[in-house]
Amino acid sequence: KTTPGLVLRRCRQALTFLPGVSASGMGLRLSQKFVFLLFLSGLVTLCFGALFFLPDSVRLKRIFLSKTEVQPSTVGSGSENDVKEHLKRPVKEQEHSRAMVSAKADRLKSVNRKPAVTQAVEATEERLVGGKAQEELTVSRSESASVRSVDTFTYNKFKSCLIKNPLGSDSGKAADPKTNERREKVKEMMKFSWDNYKRYAWGKNELRPLTKNGHIGNMFGKGASIIDSLDTLYIMGLMDEYNDAKEWVQTSLDLNSNGEASLFEVNIRYVGGLLSAYYLTGEELFKNKVLELGEKLLPAFNTPTGIPRGVINLGSGTSWSWGWASAGSSILAEFGTLHLEFVHLTELSNSPIYTEKVMNIRKLLNKIEKPHGLYPNFLSPVSGNWVQHHVSIGGLGDSFYEYLIKSYLMSDKKDEDAKKMYYGALEAIEANLVQKSPGGLTYMAEWRGGILDHKMGHLACFSGGMIGIGADDGAPEKRQHYLDLAAEITHTCHESYTPTKLGPEAFRFDGGAEATATRLSDRYYILRPEVIESYMYMWRLTHDPKYREWGWEAVEALEQHCKVESGFSGIRDVYTTMVSHDNMQQSFFLSETLKYLYLLFSDDDLLSLEDWVFNTEAHPLPIIRKNCLQDQGSPQDNTASE
């Protein structure tokens, strides 16, 4: 039996092993006490340092730190029985879940892009272990597979519900010879990028064109550039390249790989890419792969609130939060950028669980208080409360707003909840974030607890196109106002593209700056698409020729400054013509930047906005016309079979 006296005797015995220390422990001189305490403090620091701070120390943590958090099972938590039961029942046999979300956990008091994903995630890779919350796989693979065998989705029925042929009347070829020549130039850039990726980085996520090798990263196991390129290759008519990509998906895409993967990146790149490839081609291979992948994402929703964590191991089903996210929070632009893809997973699988997961997110967001009507970037998946009041239309927030208006459009304008949320958010953005610079440029500032930061990120430049495509469906008296606002923001982003005609990662409007990056760390350009995306939308909405001219400026700048011997690379400083390359051909360059340029120089019937919405990785997803699909009819003036 352990007693205080026994502990004291053991301590005295231990002290006798130290030179010059008496057994009584009371004969220590002041200098010896100091040395002894210094020794003990060093030992404690070493032990705790090894446990908490050394890289890859997660195994030590599993040994010494027991999991004490007990997560209650709620409607949104995705418990095993809940998931299995939903997977067994087809959509037509049940209504979507509308139960209340539990948000009664204690508020988190500590406050500390969408980030520039490839850079920010890579830079914080070794800190992720601190945010892990081990959660077991909750989906029965065999039962899920049996659900998919009951196929109620018919591709030919879907195609008959399109208003126009996806590839247009003449593959979208422009009648104007000059425009068509520019379109062919973009196609040539795509083939050059693809050929070098295939030669030097085949099967890897991205190409490093300077060192002529591949890059993996941690957005998924491999092949991001292949999946991201499927639809781009197809609409450009690069069929040999498309067939090579399809063969790789069939033989080499492994969905069971263990490792850290971003839920957000897997969804927008892999789920989005496979969905669009299926809808464009009708190849069952893509449908089967995307449904298999969709099931593997469900364990990320196994939280007390149903708000998914940001990182998932697709092999084991465990999920955790990003180490850099405030207090283990989930990111608005990540959990808010699932809706389009998950609704289509329900359409293809006939299982309502995917739609229910994203509707649960929306239900919680509608329930909680929003400061000044704004949506902060960080939300606790445990308590369902905001973690800090940082609002951005750029990194960390951007695509959440994009998916609200696109959910409404993709529903054939039936999703009134998405419409209400979008226009409510836009009203709050205009009231609190939209600013006018001394030079007359309209921009969107960031909001930090009521204090404006007069900075706009390149990522926020998508908002010109977003506001444009939503102009028709708001209040009728505001239609022209929204179109004007969209044009003003797109103009501001164009003004940031100087002197290389490429834009910085972020630009400011304070201290005399006008759309200029005042910090060295903001001067890089990583082949981002957002400005060109807005050019494409604004061209289709207005047919103002300046948008095509601005797009051609970008093509020439990419050729002059970013093209290297073996691909395209980002540059480190857009303000010098003596460029330094970053040695990375981003996956989204193939999926977004080049696709939007190609569409800009094509006729409007190539992937017509009457039939398609683009996810945030520019993968086209069809508008869901429920009445047509259920009646096996065709919309009025159907020309899709032409």
Side-chain angles (χ1 to χ4, degrees), residues 361-522:
I361 294 172
R362 188 184 288 179
K363 186 178 183 69
L364 187 147
L365 291 177
N366 277 327
K367 180 181 178 181
I368 61 177
E369 183 180 355
K370 289 163 280 293
H372 299 280
L374 298 168
Y375 292 82
N377 293 335
F378 297 98
L379 182 76
S380 168
V382 176
S383 69
N385 296 315
W386 304 116
V387 174
Q388 59 174 248
H389 287 180
H390 172 213
V391 178
S392 169
I393 310 304
L396 304 175
D398 48 5
S399 48
F400 163 72
Y401 305 96
E402 174 189 358
Y403 270 40
L404 290 178
I405 185 60
K406 288 183 176 179
S407 293
Y408 174 67
L409 297 174
M410 195 181 79
S411 72
D412 200 21
K413 302 186 178 181
K414 301 291 194 299
D415 188 347
E416 291 294 328
D417 191 37
K419 177 181 180 180
K420 180 180 178 182
M421 290 178 70
Y422 170 73
Y423 289 104
L426 185 57
E427 182 178 345
I429 289 167
E430 282 202 79
N432 295 281
L433 304 184
V434 174
Q435 303 288 309
K436 186 83 75 173
S437 75
L441 297 178
T442 302
Y443 65 97
M444 290 192 176
E446 296 190 4
W447 192 84
R448 300 178 185 274
I451 300 174
L452 284 182
D453 183 6
H454 295 275
K455 176 187 78 171
M456 185 170 178
H458 194 290
L459 288 164
C461 285
F462 86 97
S463 59
M466 176 189 75
I467 295 170
I469 62 173
D472 278 346
D473 297 298
E477 66 274 14
K478 283 198 165 186
R479 180 183 182 278
Q480 190 58 49
H481 166 72
Y482 287 141
L483 282 175
D484 292 342
L485 178 60
E488 290 170 12
I489 291 172
T490 304
H491 171 72
T492 296
C493 292
H494 173 261
E495 291 300 296
S496 74
Y497 269 48
T498 182
T500 57
K501 302 300 181 182
L502 298 171
E505 182 69 5
F507 43 93
R508 303 193 67 85
F509 297 88
D510 49 13
E514 289 274 337
T516 303
T518 57
R519 301 172 183 174
L520 289 174
S521 59
D522 289 336

Side-chain angles (χ1 to χ4, degrees), residues 195-208:
D195 287 347
N196 281 285
Y197 167 77
K198 185 179 178 184
R199 183 177 298 115
Y200 299 113
W202 186 246
K204 301 294 193 298
N205 277 333
E206 291 159 322
L207 165 68
R208 292 189 181 274

